[in-house]
Amino acid sequence: MELTNITGLKGEVTVPGDKSISHRCVMFGSIAKGITEIQNFLEGADCLATISCFRSLGIEIEKNGTSVLIRGKGLHGLTAPSNLLDVGNSGTTTRLISGILAGQPFDSKISGDSSLNSRPMKRIMEPLTQMGANISSILRNGCAPLYITPGHLHGIHYHTPVASAQVKSCILLAGLYADGETSVTEASLSRNHTELMLQEFGADIHSFLDAGSTKATAVIRPCEELYGQKITVPGDISSAAYFIAAGLLVPDSEILIKEIGVNPTRAGLLEVCQDMGGDITLLNQHTVAGEPVADILVRTSRLHGITIEGKIIPALIDEIPIIAVMAAMADGITIIRDAAELKVKESDRIETVTDNLKSMGCNIIPTDDGMIIHGGKPLHGSTIHTLLDHRIAMAFSIAALVAEGTTKILDSHCVDVSFPSFYDTFENLL
Ligand code: S3P
């Protein structure tokens, strides 16, 4: 894909359904009794991998565009897969399904593409093993392919070393199959879609924040059954992020992004944009299936650098590549800290962001847990090495819109992982 700079993005856009919520609807619908109907499901490769895994586990799932109907068979209704479960590029599928599979009376194997199979899985293997699960890394390298055999699960009280919603959700899902209470405490609250949605499905789950610290705990007790639900998935704020950035950076722009999930555990980007001087207004705020939703109005703004650190990091971890692009265009210095998790995403995002921004002429220094960006110097077009990371492809497509000259995005098709219509959606704004 080759892109050049533009001005005057105007109009309304919608973005596809939330990736995290789409995965969870399919998983919870499959282990719930009765029918789950999903509207605005994300047809990205990651979520399609989740559907295909649950079909392999014996669940009938009908998909018609973004509408999905799941004939759930209850907590104990999954059946042994005849083949290895292929999770593609999806860390969320891998880690959440492992929690469910740990509680099943049959063997299963999970594997994905080369990026997925190099991401750390010890973070789920350790707590699941403590619960009595039998889960191993087939190559003994702490990564997928994973092999799970039946085990008797008991409840644990687990303090996660990293604030990760995937780890938390994995343990809570295994907790559905344990013989007692399971709780997960994290140093700061990661996205809480699992807690909110499991409650809608009828699970015995609650969460609380520690008074006087940033710690958060979720507690689940085993229940008889979950029950099928009707769910409309809100627009994904992680996909909206690229249009928010485009609206702020591209001269003479005004964009309204409709029906976006603004759950505070996901919406750190909005706070950061406002702190950087961005003109952002939330309109039409309402709640859908326990999730806060709003339209986001963005206008071109002059941005300035800030420091981003601490408990806000889990609420914007997937948006750091696009935040880095905004920081490159902002006046002054932006410092991003406490974000070492970037190294174990679909690519090492400290490296991919730094290398690509440097190639566009930005003064950026990588650190162990983030980056320091000296903004305000014009960017110039270059060749972007996405390493097949969808968020790098999209973030640098926005950088291309404000860089002098032409930018070539290599392997831009990787946007299919979370936003297959990404490039087409821009047509609405030209
Ligand atoms: C996700 C959690 C986050 C996020 C990922 C989706 C989820 O990962 O980066 O894109 O749906 O639970 P971690 O849990 O590893 O932080």
Side-chain angles (χ1 to χ4, degrees):
M1 173 70 61
E2 289 199 3
L3 298 161
T4 50
N5 56 2
I6 49 168
T7 58
L9 290 173
K10 304 244 185 222
E12 269 184 32
V13 286
T14 55
V15 300
D18 188 277
K19 179 156 84 72
S20 294
I21 295 178
S22 294
H23 280 300
R24 286 159 172 80
C25 296
V26 172
M27 295 189 185
F28 305 170
S30 296
I31 56 169
K33 237 187 146 122
I35 288 181
T36 289
E37 279 178 57
I38 311 170
Q39 302 298 334
N40 202 34
F41 179 78
L42 167 61
E43 295 181 275
D46 274 18
C47 297
L48 296 177
T50 294
I51 289 191
S52 132
C53 288
F54 279 89
R55 283 183 175 149
S56 303
L57 291 163
I59 302 299
E60 262 181 59
I61 303 178
E62 291 162 29
K63 195 179 125 350
N64 187 357
T66 59
S67 302
V68 177
L69 188 137
I70 301 170
R71 297 184 197 281
K73 291 192 178 163
L75 275 176
H76 302 282
L78 300 179
T79 48
S82 46
N83 283 314
L84 180 134
L85 296 168
D86 182 1
V87 292
N89 190 242
S90 178
T92 308
T93 312
T94 312
R95 297 196 176 110
L96 272 63
I97 209 173
S98 296
I100 295 173
L101 292 173
Q104 304 306 316
F106 51 76
D107 295 358
S108 42
K109 283 186 185 150
I110 306 170
S111 187
D113 66 14
S114 61
S115 152
L116 185 281
N117 285 355
S118 62
R119 294 178 67 185
M121 294 299 153
K122 271 196 189 137
R123 53 182 59 198
I124 57 162
M125 289 164 63
E126 273 170 15
L128 287 177
T129 304
Q130 279 183 31
M131 293 179 82
N134 293 313
I135 176 167
S136 56
S137 158
I138 292 175
L139 302 178
R140 297 176 191 281
N141 60 356
C143 300
L146 300 173
Y147 182 42
I148 302 176
T149 61
H152 178 82
L153 302 189
H154 44 263
I156 57 167
H157 298 285
Y158 193 70
H159 287 254
T160 56
V162 282
S164 158
Q166 294 181 359
V167 173
K168 171 174 65 177
S169 303
C170 169
I171 300 167
L172 293 173
L173 287 167
L176 284 169
Y177 296 95
D179 58 12
E181 180 181 283
T182 296
S183 70
V184 184
T185 300
E186 42 188 357
S188 36
L189 180 62
S190 64
R191 65 191 68 191
N192 62 356
H193 306 302
T194 294
E195 296 90 304
L196 295 177
M197 201 188 293
L198 276 180
Q199 198 155 35
E200 300 278 324
F201 274 83
D204 182 356
I205 184 165
H206 67 277
S207 28
F208 56 89
L209 295 171
D210 244 31
S213 88
T214 58
K215 278 189 195 165
T217 300
V219 186
I220 194 161
R221 292 193 196 89
C223 60
E224 290 288 310
E225 281 298 355
L226 304 178
Y227 297 95
Q229 298 295 309
K230 286 189 177 174
I231 299 164
T232 300
V233 180
D236 195 329
I237 190 160
S238 298
S239 299
Y242 306 104
F243 292 92
I244 294 174
L248 293 175
L249 296 180
V250 172
D252 191 28
S253 297
E254 180 167 324
I255 307 178
L256 182 66
I257 312 155
K258 305 269 289 178
E259 290 287 312
I260 302 302
V262 289
N263 179 321
T265 64
R266 292 288 299 285
L269 171 76
L270 299 179
E271 194 179 318
V272 160
C273 289
Q274 281 162 344
D275 290 351
M276 292 176 87
D279 181 350
I280 291 187
T281 316
L282 295 195
L283 304 166
N284 181 28
Q285 298 193 42
H286 56 288
T287 303
V288 178
E291 292 279 349
V293 173
D295 299 340
I296 303 174
L297 178 66
V298 190
R299 296 192 187 95
T300 308
S301 308
R302 181 156 189 160
L303 303 181
H304 56 81
I306 59 169
T307 296
I308 306 166
E309 61 186 346
K311 75 174 176 23
I312 198 168
I313 295 291
L316 49 69
I317 190 75
D318 291 343
E319 287 65 76
I320 290 179
I322 188 63
I323 290 174
V325 168
M326 292 194 288
M329 296 298 292
D331 297 329
I333 299 177
T334 293
I335 301 172
I336 299 172
R337 290 196 193 106
D338 303 322
E341 277 295 296
L342 291 173
K343 293 181 185 164
V344 291
K345 295 296 177 186
E346 286 84 331
S347 66
D348 174 342
R349 288 183 180 158
I350 296 184
E351 202 173 282
T352 39
V353 166
T354 305
D355 291 352
N356 285 311
L357 267 182
K358 264 190 192 158
S359 80
M360 298 184 89
C362 174
N363 178 357
I364 174 168
I365 303 156
T367 63
D368 275 352
D369 65 349
M371 53 199 84
I372 300 167
I373 301 161
H374 295 261
K377 200 172 146 208
L379 297 181
H380 56 74
S382 77
T383 297
I384 300 301
H385 296 267
T386 60
L387 303 190
L388 293 171
D389 182 336
H390 57 134
R391 303 218 183 274
I392 298 299
M394 292 188 276
F396 281 87
S397 296
I398 304 304
L401 301 183
V402 291
E404 285 160 17
T406 303
T407 299
K408 190 170 181 188
I409 313 282
L410 298 179
D411 298 315
S412 57
H413 61 85
C414 65
V415 303
D416 288 355
V417 160
S418 65
F419 198 164
S421 56
F422 175 70
Y423 292 108
D424 296 335
T425 307
F426 271 99
E427 303 289 321
N428 301 337
L429 297 173
L430 297 175

